[in-house]
Amino acid sequence: MRFSDVLGLDELKGKLISNFKQNRLPHAQLFVGPEGCGNLSLALALTQLIYCENPSENDSCGICGSCIKISKLTHPDVHFTYPTVGPKEVSTTFITQWREIVNEHPYFNKVDWVSRIAKDENKQLNITREESRNIISKLSLKPFEGNAKTLIVWMPEHLDKVGNSLLKIIEEPPQKTYFILVANNFDDLLSTITSRTQLVKVPAYSEEEIVTYLSQKYHLDKSKAESIAFLSEGNINNAISLVESVENNYAEMFRNWMLACYKNNLNEAANLMDEVAKLGRTQIQLFLRNGLKILRESLLYKNIDNYEIKFEGEYKEFIKKFSSTLNASHIENSYKEINDTIYFIQRNANAKISLFNLSLALRHNFIRKR
């Protein structure tokens, strides 16, 4: 991947390229940014520049032997570590799946990754002690082709106590060895790891950048791209999933669910949520986040004169009607209940039970209003 292939982040790209040109690249960097940002893409682009045989002023060439191998994730001097499932698994066991998902969609998240390597998406990810030993063994060898070795660690939050065994090699690495850690949550990282790396903060994407991405990749019209960009909250991965979920007509499903709760029809509400539970954790979270956006827009429409709803088509008409069914306090309570359920789903709570409990809570809000 070249820097020109990475969406936006021009200022950050410039700093990384400048550090490379001035031979000021730290041997250990930590690229931290929210889910769906470009931190993994930046790590891959920087790595390709390091090994490029004919770099231009501001990028790798993309056509030399090293660039081609790195773009295919097959360069013998570039290693990858990522969380796996199983108590003794190592990253190389899943290298085929890793190459596939990175080349198809470099903005993927942990849920997407688990679905690639395990039949049960509730499986817990971890970076094993065996993987730690493999890292030390690989990096102790001399480079095969280039003049440097590089280790890209995706989701180092899962290093846990195993990460302490890597402290010595990170602090005193073999000559010409680079570490690039790609993380989402700084607070979940070992302090002994963060203190030995240079922090690079990667921001979330702006709505304008996501509109550009969607328009170019999916050829969406501007209004639909803007609507999805607004819903995605700077997360490219969410935006891509929303392109698909729009076709699944989540608006109608959410509207029917709210109507069932309003009518105190728990049987219908339960049936609807059973269907949502079958979608998988990623789509459940997207469905509920869409609901949060609808509640927010309902509150704004209810309280601001001439407010222009940031949705289109069925969403807009539904929000106009929905805003009249609850007062501000009840909308805020419903928002909290949905947000809490997203939290539980992320932490592997039973989706069917969580969604039914949510239906009960929302029904209670409607009853209180009436």
Side-chain angles (χ1 to χ4, degrees), residues 251-262:
E252 181 179 358
M253 189 179 291
F254 186 84
R255 182 175 64 246
N256 292 339
W257 181 37
M258 291 297 99
L259 184 60
C261 292
Y262 182 77

Side-chain angles (χ1 to χ4, degrees), residues 279-308:
L279 297 174
R281 294 188 183 276
T282 301
Q283 292 299 319
I284 292 171
Q285 292 174 57
L286 286 171
F287 172 79
L288 293 176
R289 286 193 180 109
N290 285 353
L292 291 179
K293 289 291 185 179
I294 288 172
L295 287 173
R296 178 180 180 276
E297 290 296 288
S298 298
L299 185 61
L300 294 173
Y301 182 75
K302 188 178 185 70
N303 291 284
I304 299 176
D305 292 337
N306 301 317
Y307 178 74
E308 184 63 33

Side-chain angles (χ1 to χ4, degrees), residues 31-37 39 109-110 155-157 182-186:
F31 287 22
V32 176
E35 182 184 310
C37 73
N39 52 358
N109 63 16
K110 292 190 290 185
M155 290 289 107
E157 294 96 323
V182 180
N184 291 148
N185 299 300
F186 184 86

Side-chain angles (χ1 to χ4, degrees), residues 132-155:
S132 176
R133 296 191 185 102
N134 272 9
I135 290 171
I136 295 171
S137 176
K138 289 175 185 176
L139 298 183
S140 298
L141 300 173
K142 293 182 178 180
F144 285 92
E145 293 185 9
N147 60 356
K149 298 184 297 294
T150 299
L151 175 69
I152 296 177
V153 183
W154 181 71
M155 290 289 107

Side-chain angles (χ1 to χ4, degrees), residues 335-348:
Y335 191 100
K336 180 182 182 301
E337 296 289 351
I338 293 176
N339 208 35
D340 287 347
T341 302
I342 292 173
Y343 177 88
F344 299 143
I345 295 295
Q346 288 174 336
R347 281 150 184 78
N348 298 320

Side-chain angles (χ1 to χ4, degrees), residues 52-323:
C52 180
E53 299 164 21
N54 302 295
S56 64
E57 183 67 16
N58 295 307
D59 213 339
S60 56
C61 71
I63 58 175
C64 68
S66 293
C67 283
I68 291 173
K69 289 176 183 177
I70 291 173
S71 67
K72 294 180 178 179
L73 310 182
T74 58
H75 196 290
D77 295 322
V78 179
H79 307 285
F80 297 94
T81 284
Y82 33 82
T84 58
V85 294
K88 295 185 178 181
E89 296 288 2
V90 294
S91 295
T92 50
T93 304
F94 302 98
I95 189 62
T96 299
Q97 294 94 323
W98 175 255
R99 288 168 179 161
E100 288 174 351
I101 196 170
V102 172
N103 284 312
E104 290 172 13
H105 174 36
Y107 302 101
F108 66 96
N109 63 16
K110 292 190 290 185
V111 176
D112 300 325
W113 176 236
V114 172
S115 68
R116 290 280 181 133
I117 64 175
K119 292 181 179 180
D120 182 3
E121 65 176 20
N122 294 324
K123 287 285 187 179
Q124 295 295 314
L125 291 169
N126 67 102
I127 295 177
T128 63
R129 192 168 301 279
E130 285 74 11
E131 176 67 15
S132 176
R133 296 191 185 102
N134 272 9
I135 290 171
I136 295 171
S137 176
K138 289 175 185 176
L139 298 183
S140 298
L141 300 173
K142 293 182 178 180
F144 285 92
E145 293 185 9
N147 60 356
K149 298 184 297 294
T150 299
L151 175 69
I152 296 177
V153 183
W154 181 71
M155 290 289 107
E157 294 96 323
H158 292 275
L159 278 168
D160 198 24
K161 295 180 181 179
V162 171
N164 288 322
S165 62
L166 300 176
L167 297 181
K168 182 176 177 60
I169 196 169
I170 291 177
E171 190 167 21
E172 301 176 8
Q175 189 175 11
K176 276 291 189 178
T177 300
Y178 295 104
F179 294 88
I180 305 178
L181 282 62
V182 180
N184 291 148
N185 299 300
F186 184 86
D187 293 339
D188 291 341
L189 295 164
L190 294 171
S191 60
T192 49
I193 294 290
T194 59
S195 64
R196 289 166 170 80
T197 56
Q198 179 171 304
L199 178 63
V200 178
K201 293 183 179 180
V202 183
Y205 282 112
S206 68
E207 287 186 24
E208 293 75 14
E209 288 172 325
I210 294 180
V211 168
T212 298
Y213 177 84
L214 296 177
S215 299
Q216 292 175 351
K217 184 175 179 63
Y218 296 102
H219 308 292
L220 299 181
D221 62 68
K222 186 177 180 182
S223 61
K224 180 171 286 189
E226 288 177 345
S227 177
I228 291 175
F230 170 72
L231 286 170
S232 66
E233 298 182 314
N235 185 330
I236 285 285
N237 192 50
N238 277 354
I240 292 170
S241 296
L242 282 167
V243 171
E244 300 173 1
S245 67
V246 166
E247 300 302 322
N248 292 334
N249 202 2
Y250 281 0
E252 181 179 358
M253 189 179 291
F254 186 84
R255 182 175 64 246
N256 292 339
W257 181 37
M258 291 297 99
L259 184 60
C261 292
Y262 182 77
K263 291 181 176 180
N264 196 21
N265 189 339
L266 288 180
N267 186 53
E268 183 179 354
N271 289 336
L272 287 167
M273 289 304 96
D274 285 351
E275 292 302 311
V276 173
K278 295 175 184 177
L279 297 174
R281 294 188 183 276
T282 301
Q283 292 299 319
I284 292 171
Q285 292 174 57
L286 286 171
F287 172 79
L288 293 176
R289 286 193 180 109
N290 285 353
L292 291 179
K293 289 291 185 179
I294 288 172
L295 287 173
R296 178 180 180 276
E297 290 296 288
S298 298
L299 185 61
L300 294 173
Y301 182 75
K302 188 178 185 70
N303 291 284
I304 299 176
D305 292 337
N306 301 317
Y307 178 74
E308 184 63 33
I309 296 172
K310 295 185 176 69
F311 285 81
E312 60 178 9
E314 292 183 44
Y315 277 109
K316 181 175 290 188
E317 293 306 312
F318 172 62
I319 287 169
K320 289 179 179 179
K321 295 177 181 178
F322 186 60
S323 64

